Amino acid sequence: MSLHKTHSIPSIRWLKLARDLMAEKGRILLMLTAITVSIIAIGAVLGSYAVLTREIAANYLGTNPASATLELEGDVDARIVKLARQHPQVREAEARDVILARAKVGEDWRSLLLFVIDDFAAMRISTFAPIQGAWPPATGEMLIERTATSMLEATVGGHVLVKTAHGTAREVTIAGLVHDPGLAPASQERTGYGYISRATLSTLGERPLLHELRITVRDPQASIQGVESVASNLARSLTDQGIAVHEIRVPPPRQHPHQRQLVTILFMMLAFSVMALVLSGILVSGSLAAMLVRQVREIGIMKTIGARTRQIFGMYALMVASIGIMAVVLAIPLGWLGTQILTKAIAGLLNFNLTDAAVPTWVFAVQAFAGGVVPLLVAAIPIARASRMSVRQALDHYGVSPDSLRWRTAKLPRPARNALRRPTRLALTVALLAAGGAMFMTALNVSAGWDRNIAKVYETRHYDVEVRFHEAQGSPVAERIRALPGVKSVEAWGYSPAAFAKPGQINVVRTYPDRGHASFSVMGPPADTRLIGFPVLAGRWLQPTDTEGVVLNHAAAAQVPQIRIGDRIDLSLDGKPASRRLVGIVEEIGSSAVAYVTDQAFARIVGTQVGAQGSARLLRIATHANSPQGRIDVIRTIEQRLSDDGVSVETAVPLAELRTAMADHIVILTRALLTMAVVMATVGTLGLASTMGVSVVERTREFAVMKTVGATPRRIIVLLIAEALFIGALSWIIALILAVPLTGLVDTLVGRLGFVAPLPFIMSPVAALGWLALLGGVSLVSTILPANRAARMSVARALVAL
């Protein structure tokens, strides 16, 4: 007899396990789906992080980006380049220039950055690669960056009408396409990119001079302070030899303009994916508990014929491990596919090539660990509880433990009493749904906060177009524009590129060679301006009597975090020093760093007069138009009038372009958040389905007893649906509470990434009501099927079902 038991128990155990897997295939599929979805998400995000961070660095560093750019007053000739190369801390030097021009696209003019190359064949710094057409371009031709084709609406062989500051409009042939990984996509910046020679620059009416000396430092790991030190030493050396250095520009070392954006997005997606895995583990625990409820008596019988606690634990642990392994087998190839899709999409949006799309082995190892170990760790609790149960407890099991009866109270409605029979399981289910719901609502709240910030572009700016001139203009220009049909109001502002000055030192600006990212300027609006209304974060706005006052926008204030209201700020406006007292800080969404002084103060700084001689280099114009097309028509009229008057326009930016650029910069993030919201919603709703399945199984006998005393199947179904809705409503309330701090945290992270300030805190009614509606629908769907099956089961069958 003993020998028979020894040899038969293991085989019976494994036979039972195989039978359980077949009998519980619906619940097994539920667990498998939840784990697989989570591991796919983790694999896709981790794989994308590994590939994209590697590739964006390889693309950017492959161009040998300039460590610093020294802007000289005169031409950077071969002698100056040679002097720079001889500096002991400089590895390489090269002459370049960047000209802000305009290109006519259809009936409108768009911004065009022209990168002037001294020798295309000898480029060593900030290089770019030809991908189509001629190389190098002939005189009168230009190459364009591949992302600029949509902005210029032209490609190889086409022609673009180009106008520079001092030249007349001239048609330029597009000779070829290049790829410049050091630039953000043209569509995001709403600017075209062209590459020309000195000779072509001359044909456009400009002097063939290059004013930029780009250098790389010898220390490849130099910090930004180290690069500034080298550049400043070189500038002093050149100055000592009679070569005037106007400004030094230093970008963040070894960092693509959008690298911080990329890393932050991927990190946030990873956090959501890990949370999805944790929720999947909770789901596995609940689903396994449901299976064990039906098998408690079988466990008792197994123990009566000699099975040990350790053997029973191992049997169910092996089942969970098998599910995890199956999930890993399914998830790894799908995660790899997700990596390929995600990396290609993001690489395209950020303008770099995937030279090596191979996913590192460690990503697959993490997926295997996540699928094989995490579910097993979470499932260990219900498995241990069931396997330690004594024979008598197992054979006496009725679906609800006597201890749970203490939760029943006449003060609670029936759905609550039913749900509270298993307080531990209820807590796990509510936690699962609440976490999923909080993530879901957070994603939509943050998206709403982003939209709210985008809306501030229009709310705080009351003009339709900003026109910037190459040189300061007098008030007659503003008066002529004001007289045009459709123009409502015009304000003339002072404008100048600027820097936070250090007495006795050459100005250093931390910006990229495109002069757009991280740029800084000073503007001089009328003190009583009506065309802007930025929220004041500290202090106050300018007053007409503020001859010494300055207001910083929040992006500028972030560059000098130690500054306080009342402190003195040293500024340099195109080399002209100015010391001002800080009177206020404003929030200006959608702008780089700006310092504001009154138009009168600005005129005194630059040495001009407000009025006929003029210090205004910028016009902000409001129109009477009530439609996008109407505004476009008025802007075209303004452009034509300026052209007829011979006024050289540097840029003319409709407010709508600014809004589009802001939206394009963060499109990856909003899509990622919505994708993660879907993943969290999927895992959370699967958890509710599992819980209701457990509840139905546990109460099969109770339903039989209820039917013997007259309960109808419909009555039983209604009770179960009410219980599911109670659980959903309880989790929704907790999710709503959890979403508050979580939304605040993500708002801060995303806002500082995109706006250098937290996003507005918004609890979106659409998010809250959407999750509530989803819970209600899932509650009905996940309850009706098992409830209908249990309610229609015969009394005799129900009494022996458990």
Side-chain angles (χ1 to χ4, degrees), residues 112-437:
L112 173 66
L113 276 183
L114 290 176
F115 296 91
V116 188
I117 312 300
D118 196 25
D119 185 349
F120 280 84
M123 285 192 305
R124 301 179 185 179
I125 298 177
S126 302
T127 61
F128 45 89
I131 57 177
Q132 184 183 347
W135 179 275
T139 301
E141 297 180 343
M142 73 174 176
L143 307 176
I144 64 171
E145 216 285 326
R146 64 182 186 181
T147 62
T149 55
S150 60
M151 287 298 299
L152 300 177
E153 296 182 9
T155 186
V156 178
H159 304 277
V160 178
L161 194 63
V162 176
K163 189 178 186 307
T164 59
H166 305 101
T168 57
R170 180 183 176 87
E171 197 170 70
V172 178
T173 301
I174 298 175
L177 298 181
V178 300
H179 175 218
D180 191 345
L183 295 175
S187 60
Q188 290 188 10
E189 302 305 317
R190 313 306 297 171
T191 299
Y193 302 134
Y195 303 81
I196 61 174
S197 64
R198 282 184 188 248
T200 300
L201 180 63
S202 182
T203 66
L204 292 174
E206 300 291 332
R207 297 176 64 192
L209 305 179
L210 305 186
H211 299 285
E212 290 186 356
L213 175 64
R214 297 192 183 184
I215 64 168
T216 57
V217 300
R218 288 197 176 277
D219 181 5
Q221 300 302 318
S223 65
I224 192 167
Q225 292 81 8
V227 173
E228 287 180 3
S229 176
V230 173
S232 297
N233 289 338
L234 175 60
R236 282 193 294 270
S237 176
L238 294 175
T239 301
D240 291 342
Q241 299 190 51
I243 302 168
V245 178
H246 175 66
E247 185 178 81
I248 300 170
R249 293 191 287 274
V250 182
R254 303 170 297 281
Q255 185 173 309
H256 186 277
H258 287 173
Q259 188 160 335
R260 181 166 162 263
Q261 172 189 358
L262 171 67
V263 172
T264 304
I265 290 169
L266 290 174
F267 176 79
M268 194 160 57
M269 290 179 67
L270 179 61
F272 274 71
S273 300
V274 170
M275 181 59 71
L277 179 63
V278 172
L279 298 185
S280 297
I282 297 174
L283 174 59
V284 168
S285 176
S287 298
L288 189 62
M291 291 176 58
L292 293 174
V293 164
R294 301 182 63 172
Q295 298 177 29
V296 166
R297 291 193 173 188
E298 295 176 15
I299 291 173
I301 293 171
M302 290 172 65
K303 283 196 168 187
T304 62
I305 60 174
R308 299 178 180 177
T309 297
R310 186 181 62 224
Q311 293 171 326
I312 295 173
F313 183 93
M315 180 179 70
Y316 287 106
L318 179 62
M319 181 177 68
V320 174
S322 300
I323 296 171
I325 291 171
M326 285 190 287
V328 170
V329 170
L330 292 171
I332 283 181
L334 292 175
W336 177 88
L337 181 61
T339 296
Q340 303 306 307
I341 295 172
L342 188 58
T343 52
K344 287 179 181 178
I346 293 179
L349 288 170
L350 295 184
N351 190 32
F352 63 88
N353 291 332
L354 294 175
T355 58
D356 179 9
V359 179
T361 306
W362 64 264
V363 173
F364 303 126
V366 171
Q367 284 182 281
F369 176 84
V373 177
V374 174
L376 193 58
L377 289 176
V378 179
I381 297 174
I383 293 175
R385 185 168 54 242
S387 59
R388 286 199 302 263
M389 192 175 291
S390 67
V391 174
R392 180 170 180 175
Q393 287 176 320
L395 295 178
D396 260 352
H397 185 72
Y398 292 97
V400 181
S401 65
D403 292 340
S404 69
L405 298 178
R406 59 195 171 95
W407 289 88
R408 295 188 181 186
T409 169
K411 295 182 179 180
L412 293 175
R414 182 180 290 275
R417 294 202 305 269
N418 290 338
L420 287 167
R421 293 182 178 196
R422 289 287 191 181
T424 302
R425 186 180 304 145
L426 175 65
L428 285 174
T429 303
V430 170
L432 175 68
L433 287 170

Side-chain angles (χ1 to χ4, degrees), residues 325-557:
I325 291 171
M326 285 190 287
V328 170
V329 170
L330 292 171
I332 283 181
L334 292 175
W336 177 88
L337 181 61
T339 296
Q340 303 306 307
I341 295 172
L342 188 58
T343 52
K344 287 179 181 178
I346 293 179
L349 288 170
L350 295 184
N351 190 32
F352 63 88
N353 291 332
L354 294 175
T355 58
D356 179 9
V359 179
T361 306
W362 64 264
V363 173
F364 303 126
V366 171
Q367 284 182 281
F369 176 84
V373 177
V374 174
L376 193 58
L377 289 176
V378 179
I381 297 174
I383 293 175
R385 185 168 54 242
S387 59
R388 286 199 302 263
M389 192 175 291
S390 67
V391 174
R392 180 170 180 175
Q393 287 176 320
L395 295 178
D396 260 352
H397 185 72
Y398 292 97
V400 181
S401 65
D403 292 340
S404 69
L405 298 178
R406 59 195 171 95
W407 289 88
R408 295 188 181 186
T409 169
K411 295 182 179 180
L412 293 175
R414 182 180 290 275
R417 294 202 305 269
N418 290 338
L420 287 167
R421 293 182 178 196
R422 289 287 191 181
T424 302
R425 186 180 304 145
L426 175 65
L428 285 174
T429 303
V430 170
L432 175 68
L433 287 170
M439 292 288 189
F440 179 87
M441 285 188 272
T442 295
L444 296 184
N445 290 341
V446 171
S447 182
W450 180 269
D451 291 340
R452 180 70 186 85
N453 246 14
I454 296 291
K456 288 182 181 179
V457 171
Y458 290 116
E459 293 173 1
T460 59
R461 295 169 173 86
H462 313 304
Y463 58 90
D464 295 302
V465 62
E466 174 186 290
V467 180
R468 189 187 306 167
F469 307 113
H470 285 284
E471 298 173 351
Q473 302 294 323
S475 58
V477 174
E479 293 302 323
R480 288 195 295 271
I481 297 299
R482 188 176 288 112
L484 292 176
V487 172
K488 181 179 180 181
S489 62
V490 180
E491 288 185 357
W493 289 32
Y495 168 83
S496 173
F500 289 108
K502 295 180 180 178
Q505 298 184 25
I506 296 172
N507 297 335
V508 177
V509 181
R510 293 184 175 181
T511 186
Y512 284 87
D514 64 4
R515 305 184 188 182
H517 290 83
S519 62
F520 179 48
S521 60
V522 170
M523 292 189 182
D528 59 350
T529 175
R530 297 180 181 277
L531 296 186
I532 57 170
F534 301 128
V536 176
L537 302 178
R540 58 173 174 79
W541 179 248
L542 296 168
Q543 297 176 355
T545 56
D546 277 325
T547 58
E548 293 293 317
V550 63
V551 170
L552 299 181
N553 70 1
H554 72 277

Side-chain angles (χ1 to χ4, degrees), residues 26-27 29-38 276 279-280 282-284 286-287 429 432-433 678-694 771 774-775 778-779 782:
R27 194 161 281 114
L29 182 61
L30 186 70
M31 290 188 281
L32 181 64
T33 301
I35 299 172
T36 302
V37 168
S38 303
L279 298 185
S280 297
I282 297 174
L283 174 59
V284 168
S287 298
T429 303
L432 175 68
L433 287 170
V678 171
V679 171
M680 301 304 295
T682 300
V683 175
T685 53
L686 286 175
L688 181 58
S690 174
T691 296
M692 294 316 301
V694 175
W771 180 249
L774 183 60
L775 280 177
V778 171
S779 298
S782 62

Side-chain angles (χ1 to χ4, degrees), residues 633-656:
D633 291 340
V634 176
I635 292 171
R636 287 172 178 169
T637 301
I638 294 170
E639 288 266 19
Q640 187 60 51
R641 181 57 189 266
L642 291 171
S643 177
D644 294 342
D645 289 348
V647 178
S648 180
V649 175
E650 184 176 88
T651 61
V653 182
L655 198 58

Side-chain angles (χ1 to χ4, degrees), residues 623-634:
T623 71
H624 288 291
N626 296 318
S627 67
Q629 186 57 50
R631 281 187 286 273
I632 290 172
D633 291 340
V634 176

